[in-house]
Structures are given as C-alpha cells and as structure tokens.
C-alpha cells in the first residue's frame, strides 16, 4: 500500500463533511482531474507525438494558438460534456460559451478554464498548466447564457490548477484552505503531498515582466524601483526576481516559497487593463492565493469582488504575499488621491 492519501479518498472525505452534499460536485471534480491527467500525458510526450508548435490559428484574444492549446481544450470538453454535472463551459480558447449538448444530462455547475496557461513555453519545456474555476449555474437555469458566467470571484465554488512540470501537481481550494497533490504516474492517481498550503505574509521575491516598465502606472513603477534599490533603498533589503511567463508556474512557486506576482495595467492599446483574464485566470488564482493566506487586488480593490461584464474581460493582477500586495495597493491609492 503506497503512503499518502489519494485524491479520490480526499474528495470523498471532504464530501462527507458537507451533510447536504449530493456527490455531484465530487464526481465533477473527479472528471476534471481525469481530463488533466490526459493533458499531462500529451504535454509530457510532446514532440514524440508531434503536438508541439503552432496551430497557425488565432484565439479570441488574437493570440496565436499552439497545437496543445487546441488539444487540451478538446480534451476538457470531451471529458466533461457527458458527465451530467455541468450546464455549460467557457474557455480562453473559445469565443463563446459551450452549452452542453441535449444528448447529455445537464447539471447545476458552470466550468470556466484556461486549458493550457503559459503555452508559449511548450517548445522550450518550461512548466505550463490548466487553470479551472467552478461556478454555480443560476437556480432554475438549464440553458445558460454568457450572462450566467459573469460572476464575481467571490461566487466561485472551487478553483484549482494542474501544473505540468518536472512533477504534475494538482492544487485545489473549495474555500476550506488549499491542498496540493502530486501525480503518481505508476498508479495514475494524485497523492496528497502538500496539505494546507500557506503563503508567508512577507517576501523577498517578485515576479513581473520588467520589459514593460515604461508602460506601467506610476505606483507600480515606484514599487518596482524600490525593489531594484534593494538594501540601499527605502526597503532596506535586497530582493530577487523571477519571470517564467506562465502564471500557473509563478503562482505555484509563490505557494511553495512565497513571493508576489504582478501583471498590472499597461498603457499599450492591446494590453490596457492587463493581459490576464478575470474568469479563468485571475479569479481562480486569487481564490487559491486568498485561501492560502495571501491577498489579490487590481491595485485598487480586492480582485475577487470585481463584477465581470464580458466573458474574456482582462484585469490587472497583483497577488501573493499579503504585506506586499497591501503596500502596492496603498501606492495606487496614494497616487490616485494625488491626481
Ligand atoms: P508576457 C501566458 O500567456 C500568460 O497568460 C500568463 O500565464 C503569464 O503570466 C503571462 O501571460 C506572460 O505574459 O507578456 O510576459 O508574455
């Protein structure tokens, strides 16, 4: 008998703690995790099965799609549309929502996901991952519209990601803290390896794409310049920087050893409110970070309180170590009050 609790046992024991639970959510979660195991297998095989490189198509964001973006999106759709626990899905890779076909039963949840975040890294073998968020379908709605997906992050039932790196890690929250699992490829099960993850309130490590410095708002430039100044500057200590260009890998690092991540507003026309999308990147990651004791804001307000008005809406994201996020937010408010 292998050491460690399997993910299957973990979610069944979690379910038993909710007296009124029907088991629908547990079965949905299991189906999502099974889909991610299939994606992990394709990602790990890479060029052995000719899945690397561009698909020579653009997604709704105007971004060039990788073959694996489309493959992983299809895997999610095919692995979940039949399960009977969803009324609809939405994905970074699809312009419109994906209603469940009438041939399948519909359920009470909505699923939004980024099937392969950080996919610009597929050819260079840097960690990428699937990010997902489970919402409730409005009571009595069996044929959801885009409107029904436009829910603030505080209404998420569950958020998680699967990171395809040297190890395949699943990280999950249902609002009762954050737990991490590692895929045991020999038995095809995720094993609980990182229970009750927490993010230290302080950090010396920050993640931001510094090549965008000239496009940032003054409070972000002030904050980053202070970090650059290190022990000689107002912070009185040196900082370290990391940028993987894969949000799922950055957030995982922050959960493992602390840190702060920023993808802020940007003066460029095509970036504007930021590069990250509310529903399937910013909200799920903010839920996870908050549940681990961190914080997540837009620079001006708690990110998870923002009411989305379109499916692929972007938002500035500042998340991680609570004290750093609070400082950055304070700088924004000081700058705004001076305007
Ligand atoms: P840049 C990946 O494309 C992504 O959406 C996030 O995962 C990542 O943090 C960001 O974009 C990287 O953006 O501008 O540094 O390439």
């Amino acid at each position: 008998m292998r050491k460690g609790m399997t993910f299957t046992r973990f979610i069944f024991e979690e379910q038993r703690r909710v007296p009124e639970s029907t088991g629908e959510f547990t079965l949905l979660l299991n189906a999502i995790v099974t889909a991610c195991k299939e994606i992990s297998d394709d990602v790990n095989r890479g060029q052995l099965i000719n899945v690397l490189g561009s698909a020579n198509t653009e997604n709704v964001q105007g971004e060039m799609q990788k073959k694996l973006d489309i493959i992983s999106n299809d895997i999610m759709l095919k692995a979940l549309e039949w399960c009977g626990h969803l009324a609809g899905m939405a994905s970074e890779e699809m312009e419109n929502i994906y209603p469940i076909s009438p041939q399948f039963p519909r359920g009470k949840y909505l699923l939004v996901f980024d099937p392969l975040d950080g996919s610009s890294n597929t050819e260079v073998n840097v960690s990428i991952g699937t990010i997902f968020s489970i919402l409730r379908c409005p009571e009595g709605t069996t044929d959801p519209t885009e409107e029904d997906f436009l829910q603030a992050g505080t209404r998420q039932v569950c958020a998680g990601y699967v990171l395809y790196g040297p190890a395949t890690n699943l990280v999950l929250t249902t609002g009762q803290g954050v737990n991490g699992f590692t895929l045991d490829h020999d038995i095809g099960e995720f094993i609980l390896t990182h229970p009750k993850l927490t993010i230290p309130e302080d950090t010396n490590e920050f993640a931001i794409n510094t090549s965008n410095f000239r496009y940032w708002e003054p409070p972000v430039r002030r904050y980053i310049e202070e970090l650059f100044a290190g022990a000689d500057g107002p912070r009185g200590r040196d900082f370290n920087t990391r940028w993987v260009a894969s949000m799922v890998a950055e957030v995982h690092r922050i959960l493992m050893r602390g840190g702060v991540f920023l993808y802020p507003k940007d003066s460029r026309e095509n970036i504007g409110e930021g590069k990250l999308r509310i529903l399937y990147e910013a909200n799920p990651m903010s839920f996870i970070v908050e549940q681990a004791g961190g914080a997540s804001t837009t620079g001006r307000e708690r990110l998870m309180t923002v009411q989305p008005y379109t499916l692929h809406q972007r938002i500035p994201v500042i998340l991680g170590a609570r004290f750093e996020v609070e400082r950055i937010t304070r700088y924004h408010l000081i700058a705004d009050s001076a305007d």
Side-chain angles (χ1 to χ4, degrees):
M1 177 66 181
R2 282 179 184 273
K3 287 191 178 53
M5 181 183 285
T6 64
F7 173 70
T8 305
R9 178 178 169 186
F10 178 85
I11 53 172
F12 274 97
E13 293 193 351
E14 286 292 295
Q15 177 189 318
R16 287 187 197 125
R17 292 197 182 93
V18 182
E20 68 278 8
S21 69
T22 63
E24 257 197 278
F25 175 72
T26 299
L27 292 170
L28 169 60
L29 212 41
N30 223 37
I32 293 169
V33 168
T34 301
C36 292
K37 288 182 203 172
E38 188 179 343
I39 296 170
S40 171
D41 190 49
D42 280 359
V43 167
N44 292 157
R45 291 174 195 273
Q47 202 47 22
L48 292 173
I49 53 173
N50 192 27
V51 294
L52 299 187
S54 172
N56 297 316
T57 52
E58 270 191 11
N59 65 15
V60 62
Q61 333 281 343
E63 295 163 342
M64 284 309 286
Q65 289 176 304
K66 299 286 187 180
K67 289 182 202 170
L68 275 170
D69 282 320
I70 297 170
I71 291 166
S72 51
N73 194 66
D74 288 347
I75 288 172
M76 291 291 280
L77 297 179
K78 294 291 173 292
L80 290 156
E81 63 181 351
W82 57 269
C83 75
H85 308 306
L86 290 174
M89 296 186 254
S91 153
E92 173 179 325
E93 301 305 331
M94 303 185 297
E95 181 164 5
N96 303 306
I97 65 168
Y98 185 88
I100 299 301
S101 157
Q103 67 179 305
F104 300 123
R106 291 185 174 188
K108 61 186 179 185
Y109 296 106
L110 300 174
L111 178 69
V112 293
F113 56 89
D114 179 355
L116 206 60
D117 174 64
S119 57
S120 60
N121 288 305
T122 45
E123 285 76 42
V124 296
N125 200 22
V126 167
S127 299
I128 53 183
T130 300
I131 306 172
F132 60 88
S133 168
I134 301 176
L135 302 167
R136 283 185 187 79
C137 189
E139 198 67 36
T141 301
T142 53
D143 202 3
T145 64
E146 177 173 316
E147 279 302 302
D148 296 316
F149 285 79
L150 304 183
Q151 300 182 27
T154 47
R155 293 174 56 191
Q156 294 175 93
V157 175
C158 168
Y161 63 79
V162 178
L163 179 67
Y164 312 119
T168 296
N169 291 120
L170 162 66
V171 169
L172 192 71
T173 185
T174 56
Q176 312 298 321
V178 180
N179 290 286
F181 304 79
T182 303
L183 181 61
D184 181 333
H185 291 275
D186 293 344
I187 59 172
E189 258 284 16
F190 280 101
I191 304 296
L192 179 65
T193 48
H194 299 79
K196 299 184 175 51
L197 285 166
T198 58
I199 298 171
E201 292 172 320
D202 253 330
T203 185
N204 295 334
E205 195 159 70
F206 67 100
I208 192 168
N209 184 338
T210 50
S211 68
N212 299 328
F213 185 90
R214 63 191 184 283
Y215 302 121
W216 299 333
E217 292 184 282
V220 175
R221 289 211 294 270
R222 171 188 175 189
Y223 175 73
I224 297 297
E225 282 172 334
E226 288 180 356
L227 303 189
F228 286 160
D232 306 330
R235 300 302 304 273
R237 68 179 196 267
D238 289 339
F239 287 77
N240 191 16
T241 185
R242 287 284 182 276
W243 189 251
V244 180
S246 174
M247 183 189 197
V248 62
E250 318 274 10
V251 169
H252 194 70
R253 186 187 57 249
I254 289 171
L255 281 165
M256 292 299 112
R257 69 183 194 209
V260 62
F261 168 93
L262 303 86
Y263 210 108
K265 274 177 83 130
D266 185 305
S267 58
R268 284 173 292 178
E269 193 61 37
N270 64 323
I271 303 286
E273 287 304 299
K275 185 174 180 187
L276 301 172
R277 277 62 53 142
I278 296 184
L279 285 178
Y280 39 78
E281 290 170 321
N283 272 346
M285 290 314 206
S286 298
F287 191 14
I288 291 168
V289 164
E290 284 197 2
Q291 282 292 310
S296 176
T297 79
T298 63
R300 293 179 167 84
E301 58 192 315
R302 183 188 174 201
L303 195 147
M304 287 214 296
T305 58
V306 174
Q307 173 58 48
Y309 50 84
T310 65
L311 197 60
H312 300 287
Q313 183 179 333
R314 298 165 184 264
I315 193 167
V317 180
I318 294 161
L319 59 75
R322 174 169 297 284
F323 291 164
E324 293 303 310
V325 174
E326 288 171 353
R327 174 185 291 267
I328 301 164
T329 305
R330 201 165 51 246
Y331 288 5
H332 279 79
L333 300 180
I334 292 168
D336 291 350
S337 59
D339 283 353

